[in-house]
Amino acid sequence: EKGESVARGPTGNWDEQSVFTPSILVAEGKYWLFYTAVPKPFINGSNKVTKSAMGIAVADSPDGPWKKLGTNPVLKTSDDPADFDSMRVDDACLIVRDGKYWFYYKGRQWNNTPRNTKLGVAIADKPEGPYIKHPTNPIIDGGHEVLVWPYNTGVVAMLNIGPEEIAKTLQYSKDGITFSKLTD
């Protein structure tokens, strides 16, 4: 163990309470660490819930030192409670596709349960962003953990939670957006 990679933010910051669920992308000769964070006070019950956001830290080596981007957070929850990602954004999984950076993430709607988590994607021209949420989000109506990878000319997503017809399946997408069941 090497020690802490990315510290919590200062008092009053969007990442003061906790920094978690990291994912690393190697691109353009650097290491890009994507992470989820929450401010203080963190409340996770009833109808008083603290929203999450996602940030990026960058380093020249996997051993660091890691420097948080000044543009953080790079992905926030939606302000519209009806949107699938109005309460949580979490679990970054990045791939490079067609010269762009595809940031797959899970989202949860305000006042909804983890069982109703869905997958979205935001796309950027550079690893540091800006990341723009795709207009057809959510792209998959399930999936609590985010695991996607390039496969042939498309993308595969592994789902564990979701509606019965897609739970515990692999989903394939030729365009990285429209997924369908590959196998059980």
Side-chain angles (χ1 to χ4, degrees), residues 14 32 35 54-57 67-76 126-131:
W14 70 279
W32 305 86
Y35 61 93
M54 300 180 81
I56 304 172
K67 182 180 181 206
K68 293 180 183 179
L69 299 187
T71 54
N72 284 334
V74 296
L75 193 69
K76 296 179 184 179
K126 301 179 289 187
E128 64 269 28
Y131 284 89

Side-chain angles (χ1 to χ4, degrees), residues 127-149:
E128 64 269 28
Y131 284 89
I132 308 299
K133 293 179 183 180
H134 197 272
T136 64
N137 279 344
I139 56 171
I140 302 178
D141 287 334
H144 189 68
E145 285 81 20
V146 180
L147 181 57
V148 298
W149 64 93

Side-chain angles (χ1 to χ4, degrees), residues 21-97:
T21 61
S23 181
I24 293 179
L25 170 73
V26 180
E28 299 186 5
K30 296 195 180 290
Y31 295 82
W32 305 86
L33 189 147
F34 292 73
Y35 61 93
T36 306
V38 291
K40 277 188 179 179
F42 178 70
I43 302 166
N44 195 26
S46 183
N47 63 350
K48 297 181 190 256
V49 176
T50 306
K51 291 184 173 193
S52 62
M54 300 180 81
I56 304 172
V58 64
D60 292 326
S61 159
D63 293 328
W66 296 93
K67 182 180 181 206
K68 293 180 183 179
L69 299 187
T71 54
N72 284 334
V74 296
L75 193 69
K76 296 179 184 179
T77 56
S78 170
D79 291 330
D80 182 348
D83 287 345
F84 90 102
D85 60 355
S86 56
M87 185 171 84
R88 292 276 186 263
V89 291
D90 193 4
D91 289 356
C93 190
L94 279 286
I95 63 171
V96 180
R97 185 176 161 76

Side-chain angles (χ1 to χ4, degrees), residues 81-89 105-120 137-146 159-167:
D83 287 345
F84 90 102
D85 60 355
S86 56
M87 185 171 84
R88 292 276 186 263
V89 291
Y105 67 98
K106 75 179 182 189
R108 187 171 2 139
Q109 185 181 28
W110 189 255
N111 252 352
N112 218 322
T113 68
R115 186 140 194 81
N116 293 310
T117 299
K118 299 177 181 182
L119 263 58
N137 279 344
I139 56 171
I140 302 178
D141 287 334
H144 189 68
E145 285 81 20
V146 180
L159 302 184
N160 61 343
I161 294 176
E164 186 176 323
E165 63 275 6
I166 65 170

